[in-house]
Structure formats: C-alpha cells, structure tokens
Amino acid sequence: MIVDCGIYRDGHRTEGPRDFSDALAEARTAGGFVWMGLHEPSAEEFDLVSAEFGLHPLAVEDALKAHQRPKMEIYDDSLFVVLKPVMYEPRSDVVSTGEIMIFLGDSFVVTVRHGDGVGLSVVRSRLEREPEMLGKGPTAVLYAIADSVVDHYLDVATELQTDLEELEAEVFSPDRGGSRHTASRIYGFKRQITEFRRATGPLALPMSRLGGTAQSAFATAVPFVDDKARPFFRDVSDHLTRVNESVESLDRLVSDILSAHLAQTSVQQNDDMRKISAWAAMAAIPTMIAGIYGMNFEHMPELHWIWAYPAVIALMAALEVLLYRLFKRRGWL
C-alpha cells in the first residue's frame, strides 16, 4: 500500500495533487521531486506506479518478490538500490532483516519496504526538518536512508557484542550454569551473525561506488546521484566498513567461544572418566579379595582362623583408604 507521497521543492514539502501521476508532472514542471513510499505493495498497485514512473521491469520484479541481496543497479531511467535493515531482539537472540528498495530518478524517489521493521517515517520527518539537506533532491533521500540503515547496523553490532560477552562469561563461569544449552546458544549466535553478514557485506561495493572510492572499473559517476554528495556517501561507507569489521570480529569471537566450550567439555569428560576409573579401581580391590575367599577350596590360608573375617574386612578398608588418599592427592577424586 502507499504509505506517503509528497512533493518537495527547495527543501520544503508543498501541497500538491493527491494523484501521484499529477504530482510527478507538477514536480517536473516546478523543478522539485516526488517521494513516494510503499509498504509491501501488491502487483496491481505497483504496476500503476511502475508505469507512471517508468521503472525498469527487472527492478520492478525484484521489488515485488523481495528476498534480494543488497545491491545497486543502473538502468536508463532510474537507479535501483536494495538495502537490508537489521533488527535484533536481545531476549530471543534473534537477528531479523527487512528490505528497502529505492528507485531514484531525475525528479522522483520511490521506496518500497518489506518486513515489519522500523519504517521510513522517521527518516522522512528528519529530512523535512533539514531543508538545506532536502534541497539536494532525490540524492538526499538516498543518503538519509542509507545513513539510517548503516547507523542502526552499528547499534545491532554493539548489542550483539554485549550478549556475546555475557555468553563468554557463562562459558567460563566456575559453576558452568546452563552449560547443557550453551552449545545450542553458541550455534544460534553463529547463525544470527551469518544473517547479519548477509545484510552488511554485499553493501560495501555499492556504498564505495556512491562515495567514489571503488576500484577504477567502478569509479565512474553514478547517474541520478549528485557528485557533490560523494563525501556524504564516503562517510556512510566508512561506517559500513566499521560494521563489517565488527561482524568479522563477532564471528571470530563466537568461534573462539565455541572452541573454548568444546575444550571445556572435553576436559570435563576427562575428569569424569578419571573419577569413574578411580572408583572402579577402588571397587576392584575388595571384589578381588572377596572373590578369592569366596572360592570353595578346603585348604586355604587362614580359612579356619578365628580372626580371619575381621582381618580381611580391615585389610579391605585399609586398602580403600590408601587408594582414596592416593587418587585424591593426584586430583582424580
């Protein structure tokens, strides 16, 4: 559905026709631009928009189906950018992603949002309070959305870092509280970080191209984007680089936590086996002695001695105490 449609001229929102086709015509005549926001539009709704704004059918197909990687594609009449905002729920340790598709033309911006994450109303409101920035045209909208998405990446990375530090403390805690479910939590974090990387990693090249810092093959100016905005996109690219470095650091950290947990589990199993072996050895001594005296031979030493029974019991007890002290000294018990 259409969330909002506004006409902007000289950095200010102006009243105009409610019909978006008339609004686009007025914006082109008056030198402004139209910003239309949609949320999970149907094919019928978007057909009307794409026909009026002249959007490329391949980009339209991507915008309708969603589930796209972050990317930037250049068409004859528009620029198509895909961003993946990330949300993190600390209570459930779940990273979820949405999608924002941005169509940028000479006098229009069409944003298509998928998912239940934070909408673009906050970005629109902030831009409307900054007429100098909004006066840069559609480029300002693309920058503001990209900057908002990437800044939220930093917040998510910080929250993940905090939760991983808590998980690390849990792994190394003396009481090993919750260790039965620790491995599954670690693998869960591994999956969430992988999902996070899918949103941030592929975005590096589009931001580099917009900032003019890409390799020579991609260093040409991007159409429909003001060259004077390159420093702003370089700033976004720098923040994204920090995010990607944080994601790599988080991935290494969770791998180290998993290795430490597995090592601790192995050590614990070895300790348990030593204890079992010690108790088995202690049980074997009296069993052996009792087995010997349980054999039905007539002529056995001390068989008819009156103190034989208590002597054997005392011998068993003495050997048990000796073995216990020996295993205890060596840390087996």
Side-chain angles (χ1 to χ4, degrees):
M1 63 177 179
I2 297 177
V3 178
D4 197 356
C5 181
I7 302 177
Y8 298 90
R9 187 182 305 115
D10 298 328
H12 298 278
R13 183 165 183 162
T14 62
E15 296 295 330
R18 293 188 175 182
D19 183 81
F20 61 84
S21 59
D22 294 336
L24 178 60
E26 180 177 320
R28 284 174 171 168
T29 301
F33 72 95
V34 174
W35 180 2
M36 173 178 287
L38 301 97
H39 179 238
E40 297 182 354
S42 64
E44 294 75 14
E45 290 176 330
F46 205 54
D47 284 343
L48 298 174
V49 175
S50 61
E52 186 63 36
F53 287 89
L55 306 180
H56 196 279
L58 292 177
V60 170
E61 181 181 0
D62 289 345
L64 286 173
K65 290 184 177 180
H67 304 292
Q68 303 295 315
R69 298 173 69 252
K71 61 181 179 178
M72 181 177 68
E73 296 180 353
I74 300 173
Y75 297 102
D76 293 337
D77 299 324
S78 63
L79 179 70
F80 180 59
V81 179
V82 178
L83 304 174
K84 293 182 76 71
V86 173
M87 289 72 68
Y88 178 60
E89 178 51 55
R91 293 183 179 179
S92 57
D93 300 334
V94 172
V95 171
S96 58
T97 59
E99 290 187 48
I100 299 176
M101 283 79 167
I102 306 171
F103 295 87
L104 202 72
D106 56 349
S107 55
F108 68 85
V109 179
V110 177
T111 56
V112 182
R113 186 170 60 86
H114 290 268
D116 299 326
V118 179
L120 297 177
S121 58
V122 175
V123 177
R124 188 187 290 263
S125 299
R126 189 177 74 245
L127 271 177
E128 290 178 354
R129 294 193 299 268
E130 299 178 2
E132 183 177 353
M133 173 65 72
L134 193 55
K136 305 298 182 181
T139 301
V141 177
L142 176 61
Y143 161 72
I145 296 175
D147 184 58
S148 175
V149 169
V150 173
D151 282 349
H152 193 61
Y153 288 164
L154 290 170
D155 297 335
V156 172
T158 301
E159 292 176 350
L160 278 171
Q161 178 73 34
T162 300
D163 285 355
L164 279 177
E165 289 174 355
E166 294 176 357
L167 180 61
E168 185 179 26
E170 177 185 325
V171 168
F172 289 102
S173 63
D175 57 355
R176 297 176 54 81
S179 60
R180 180 178 300 178
H181 306 291
T182 300
S184 61
R185 283 196 65 199
I186 295 173
Y187 278 113
F189 271 108
K190 191 78 170 176
R191 288 194 300 270
Q192 304 314 315
I193 292 172
T194 300
E195 183 71 17
F196 194 10
R197 180 188 282 114
R198 291 194 187 105
T200 64
L203 189 59
L205 180 57
M207 287 298 106
S208 296
R209 294 188 63 184
L210 289 168
T213 58
Q215 297 178 355
S216 57
F218 300 100
T220 57
V222 179
F224 309 108
V225 175
D226 191 347
D227 289 343
K228 295 180 180 179
R230 284 191 169 190
F232 296 94
F233 286 108
R234 280 198 294 270
D235 181 67
V236 176
S237 182
D238 289 342
H239 290 178
L240 183 61
T241 300
R242 287 174 51 196
V243 170
N244 285 325
E245 290 174 351
S246 297
V247 172
E248 292 299 326
S249 177
L250 291 173
D251 188 60
R252 289 193 299 269
L253 177 59
V254 75
S255 297
D256 292 342
I257 292 174
L258 178 59
S259 298
H261 174 67
L262 294 177
Q264 280 195 334
T265 302
S266 178
V267 170
Q268 182 66 33
Q269 289 176 343
N270 290 336
D271 289 341
D272 293 340
M273 288 302 299
R274 282 201 301 266
K275 291 178 181 180
I276 293 172
S277 300
W279 286 111
M282 292 172 63
I285 297 298
T287 301
M288 181 188 69
I289 296 175
I292 292 173
Y293 279 88
M295 293 186 295
N296 296 321
F297 292 106
E298 182 178 356
H299 302 288
M300 292 183 65
E302 299 89 22
L303 187 62
H304 300 287
W305 185 32
I306 192 171
W307 295 104
Y309 180 76
V312 169
I313 296 300
L315 176 62
M316 290 182 183
L319 290 174
E320 290 297 294
V321 172
L322 179 62
L323 287 176
Y324 179 83
R325 294 184 63 181
L326 177 62
F327 289 138
K328 191 72 172 178
R329 185 180 303 171
R330 295 191 175 184
W332 283 42
L333 290 175

